[in-house]
Amino acid sequence: SVPAQAFEIGFWWAGLTPCTSGEPGPVKSPAFVLKDVPEGTRFTRLKLVDRDAPGFDHGGATAALISSTGIPAGAFSYKQPCPPSGSHTYEWTATALSKKSGGKLATAKARREYPE
């Protein structure tokens, strides 16, 4: 049999108002591209972490999976990337879930610098 492909996620910072004050405000989520979503996935939990300041809570959300190829921009709100100096590395973690409050099937991560 063919081995299962790894769950993958991708995103871009398109449409964000520039922020480098260290005081991020709420913004609508970016569009996410999903690849090889595990069978049985009904929800995707998304969480943003600043790898250079991991204690800051940028938030995220659990979104119903409408398409196995992506989650549209604006599906939820979170605190935008806004490093106080220079650029930071931000990482979205996507967890494929079989039900809204659990049933973890797989996890995918994607990182980008901000500002790029």
Side-chain angles (χ1 to χ4, degrees), residues 64-106:
L65 188 69
I66 298 166
S67 163
S68 64
T69 59
I71 296 170
F76 60 91
S77 293
Y78 72 105
K79 288 182 183 172
Q80 81 172 86
C82 189
S85 59
S87 69
H88 283 191
T89 300
Y90 291 84
E91 181 175 73
W92 280 103
T93 299
T95 305
L97 304 170
S98 61
K99 52 191 178 206
K100 191 165 187 174
S101 60
K104 179 178 171 178
L105 299 170

Side-chain angles (χ1 to χ4, degrees), residues 8-27:
E8 294 179 32
I9 181 176
F11 73 97
W12 295 266
W13 296 125
L16 272 183
T17 301
C19 184
T20 54
S21 67
E23 297 179 18
V27 293

